Amino acid sequence: MDVTTAASDPWLIVGLGNPGPEYAMNRHNVGFMVADLLAERIGGKFKRAGKAQAQVLEGRIGPAGPGSRRVVLAKPMSYMNLSGGPVNALRDFYKVPVGNIVAVHDELDIDYATLRLKLGGGDNGHNGLKSMTKAMGPDYHRVRCGIGRPPGRMQVADFVLKDFSSAERKELDWFVDRAADAVECLVTEGLERAQSAYNS
């Protein structure tokens, strides 16, 4: 299933995470990490968005000319479980079709450093997705960044709010880079092409 939107419609790419330095390297914040790398590639800096309780950066992704796409990168500053409000406010402000929204988030049910892209679906217990779906329905794209399941009897909440392990950090830059590539491919070439290139 793919969503057809006009080439001139902007895309809203949302990295999900929690604000504040104490959360910066948490597994739950991989969406923020991908958004930060995309901002670096665009060559801009995040700025506070008026009333939307988010940091945003406007720019273009893709080859120069007609192949490039107008994008708004966003990091909600509301904490993960309230992400839907800021995202919905940005969607209204920038007039983005729901099918042009991409949530980049951590995913427990996928092995570490594995990516899966999809359109729509459930929230799988992820509070950021739950909040977004409640605010605007489920029909947005997801770039799911696998973090694996917690070891032993560790609680899920403890696991996602812990920093990546030293072993995981060896692959983290590569993983974030690949996720950013997947977002760019999704926006410029469509879901099917991005899935065949990045789903593993």
Side-chain angles (χ1 to χ4, degrees), residues 74-125:
K75 296 193 296 183
M77 293 285 115
S78 56
Y79 290 100
M80 183 70 86
N81 60 344
L82 299 171
S83 300
V87 175
N88 211 25
L90 292 172
R91 174 179 78 99
D92 286 346
F93 182 78
Y94 289 102
K95 298 181 170 48
V96 181
V98 174
N100 274 20
I101 295 173
V102 183
V104 186
H105 64 92
D106 57 302
E107 178 64 64
L108 286 159
D109 284 339
I110 301 174
D111 290 340
Y112 176 65
T114 300
L115 293 174
R116 294 269 198 288
L117 286 77
K118 72 172 188 174
L119 174 64
D123 57 57
N124 210 18

Side-chain angles (χ1 to χ4, degrees), residues 137-150:
D139 297 327
Y140 52 90
H141 289 88
R142 298 101 190 276
V143 175
R144 305 157 74 206
C145 303
I147 60 169
R149 280 265 159 199

Side-chain angles (χ1 to χ4, degrees), residues 163-178:
D163 288 0
F164 284 102
S165 69
S166 54
E168 288 169 336
R169 280 200 293 273
K170 289 175 185 167
E171 277 189 277
L172 186 58
D173 285 349
W174 172 85
F175 181 28
V176 169
D177 194 63
R178 185 170 162 78

